Amino acid sequence: MYAQENGNRDAENKIVRGPYETNRFGDNWFIGVAGGINLFEDGILSGEWQPRVAPAINVNVGKWFTPSVGARVGYLGLRANGWSNHQTVYATEFVEGKNFKEKVNFAYVYGDLMWNISNAFSGYKETRFWNVIPYVSTGLLHAYGVKGVDATNNQFSVGAGIYNTLRVSDRVNFTLDVRQMVFKGTFNGNKGGMAGMTSATFGIAVNLGRTNWKRATEVPEGYAPYKVSCINDLKADAERLANDNKKLAKNASALNNENDALKKENAALKAEQNKRKPALDVTSAAVFFNIGETTLDAQNLFNLDFYYQNVIAQDDNKVIVLTGYADKQTGSKKRNQQLSEKRAQYVYDILRNKYNVPAERIQVKAVGSESEFVKTPAQLNRSVVLE
């Protein structure tokens, strides 16, 4: 009775209600057997309603045409008990202080049109445990006598009910079926009026054939099927492109091999070049400042760039020590200390910001005019020494 497709919501968590592909004739059938009770309600319009409970059985077979709409036919019957204030063909036993005890056998052959509101409103979901299925019913109600009573009666009946399924597996469900029927009061031998019968049965239903539903694929607007000739042409193009791809892959492999050989050759040439490259042994250098200045002129900036390119950049592990100096023949001791600090910091900033030398590779010192770089000429002490 249920589809294999379990999801009833789309990617945006909205309920999906179909459409579904039409099933085959042999799909989505079910057969059920149940037992329970009948409550015969006689004299509904005459005010003489005196119900009594009797056993009932219910056997049916049906088919779902969509996840929400189905139909079934079946048999409901066994016994209907009641009371009558007068003797009838089915009411012959008088009980003191009550009325005539009525016993009548019956067989109700019915057809139901069913609507699964759980699927209709909440979207189809195979693993839903409880499905609620209202239905309308009509059929032929046949009454016949109990032992010792030779009487029969046929009546047309209409009614409605609620069929509940409780999922056990894809093939098996427990069922609870509550039905109300209405028919003429002459059913049990009375002269007229209306009568009714309520039945409640609990049982089991088995699903037959394919139990699943497949959601229909929506065809995009403007879609048209391909012609066979077009499909064959596309297959031929695909095969040709596959062959071209194989050739390109083969060529790419050859190019990769050639590239690897060139890389090896280039590495060998670089190694040979490094062997022949003259070593430049420059251990220290100095840049000079004008009197009272803490920035370098163009010539000394060029000298600093030369030192970076040929010494600092050639050895990533070399730690550079910057020592700032000042001329003690000019300025006070305090002033000279400030000048040496600013000069050393100035060169440090150039190395860090212009040449991106890591801070851990630079050490900065400033000795003012207390320690001289050279004795004479004194103006050469207006400098920063790089070691």
Side-chain angles (χ1 to χ4, degrees):
M1 292 169 64
Y2 304 103
Q4 193 174 13
E5 230 176 86
N6 188 37
N8 63 335
R9 294 181 181 273
D10 59 17
E12 298 178 356
N13 203 34
K14 295 181 179 180
I15 293 175
V16 177
R17 298 185 176 88
Y20 293 89
E21 293 183 0
T22 303
N23 59 5
R24 298 170 299 181
F25 176 78
D27 296 337
N28 305 105
W29 286 85
F30 62 94
I31 184 170
V33 178
I37 59 171
N38 289 318
L39 186 65
F40 181 45
E41 302 127 0
D42 194 10
I44 293 178
L45 299 181
S46 64
E48 299 175 357
W49 186 26
Q50 301 182 64
R52 284 185 63 201
V53 175
I57 59 172
N58 189 351
V59 180
N60 55 78
V61 60
K63 175 178 170 61
W64 290 102
F65 306 108
T66 73
S68 301
V69 178
R72 65 175 176 174
V73 295
Y75 162 84
L76 173 67
L78 205 56
R79 177 69 62 83
N81 293 337
W83 294 98
S84 177
N85 59 4
H86 59 278
Q87 187 174 5
T88 69
V89 66
Y90 300 113
T92 59
E93 179 184 353
F94 181 76
V95 178
E96 189 68 31
K98 294 185 177 181
N99 277 315
F100 288 92
K101 184 184 292 186
E102 190 173 40
K103 296 181 180 179
V104 55
N105 292 331
F106 79 96
Y108 180 45
V109 179
Y110 62 84
D112 296 339
L113 181 61
M114 312 172 75
W115 184 36
N116 188 326
I117 60 174
S118 298
N119 286 340
F121 291 105
S122 299
Y124 173 75
K125 186 175 183 180
E126 180 189 14
T127 57
R128 183 181 288 118
F129 174 70
W130 180 18
N131 282 271
V132 179
I133 307 166
Y135 61 86
V136 292
S137 177
T138 186
L140 180 65
L141 185 63
H142 174 67
Y144 57 97
V146 297
K147 184 177 179 180
V149 177
D150 185 16
T152 60
N153 191 3
N154 295 319
Q155 294 290 340
F156 178 75
S157 173
V158 296
I162 297 179
Y163 181 62
N164 301 270
T165 64
L166 307 175
R167 185 178 187 274
V168 177
S169 68
D170 290 347
R171 290 284 179 186
V172 179
N173 297 297
F174 287 130
T175 63
L176 176 61
D177 194 351
V178 179
R179 176 191 302 268
Q180 177 65 51
M181 297 181 290
V182 178
F183 41 86
K184 288 184 178 180
T186 54
F187 162 76
N188 60 336
N190 289 326
K191 294 182 179 180
M194 297 295 294
M197 186 181 299
T198 301
S199 68
T201 57
F202 182 80
I204 191 169
V206 177
N207 300 323
L208 306 176
R210 193 185 74 176
T211 62
N212 63 327
W213 297 91
K214 184 177 181 181
R215 187 169 289 125
T217 302
E218 295 186 5
V219 178
E221 184 177 354
Y223 170 81
Y226 288 108
K227 295 181 179 180
V228 174
S229 58
C230 293
I231 295 175
N232 291 335
D233 291 341
L234 290 173
K235 288 181 178 179
D237 289 342
E239 185 176 355
R240 177 180 55 79
L241 291 173
N243 292 331
D244 291 344
N245 190 50
K246 290 179 180 179
K247 294 178 181 179
L248 290 173
K250 186 176 180 180
N251 293 337
S253 178
L255 290 173
N256 287 334
N257 293 335
E258 185 177 348
N259 187 47
D260 291 340
L262 290 173
K263 285 181 179 179
K264 292 179 180 179
E265 183 179 349
N266 186 46
L269 289 173
K270 284 185 177 180
E272 183 66 22
Q273 182 181 9
N274 290 332
K275 290 179 182 179
R276 297 181 181 182
K277 184 177 180 181
L280 181 63
D281 186 11
V282 181
T283 58
S284 62
V287 289
F288 301 97
F289 295 80
N290 293 323
I291 185 171
E293 296 293 327
T294 58
T295 59
L296 295 172
D297 57 22
Q299 179 179 348
N300 281 279
L301 285 174
F302 176 82
N303 293 337
L304 179 60
D305 181 77
F306 180 85
Y307 185 79
Y308 169 78
Q309 299 294 342
N310 293 277
V311 178
I312 299 176
Q314 299 303 317
D315 187 355
D316 292 339
N317 296 318
K318 182 176 179 61
V319 176
I320 309 302
V321 180
L322 306 179
T323 305
Y325 291 89
D327 175 13
K328 70 178 182 179
Q329 294 182 1
T330 61
S332 65
K333 178 180 178 180
K334 181 178 180 180
R335 172 61 178 164
N336 287 336
Q337 180 65 32
Q338 292 175 346
L339 285 172
S340 66
E341 291 175 357
K342 290 183 178 181
R343 288 165 179 169
Q345 184 65 40
Y346 172 74
V347 175
Y348 172 86
D349 291 339
I350 292 177
L351 294 178
R352 289 284 293 121
N353 299 328
K354 180 177 180 180
Y355 298 110
N356 297 317
V357 179
E360 59 268 19
R361 290 185 57 196
I362 307 173
Q363 296 180 6
V364 180
K365 297 189 298 184
V367 297
S369 57
E370 291 302 305
S371 177
E372 294 180 314
F373 172 50
V374 294
K375 295 296 183 181
T376 58
Q379 59 267 29
L380 293 181
N381 288 308
R382 305 166 193 155
S383 62
V384 171
V385 177
L386 299 91
E387 298 176 295

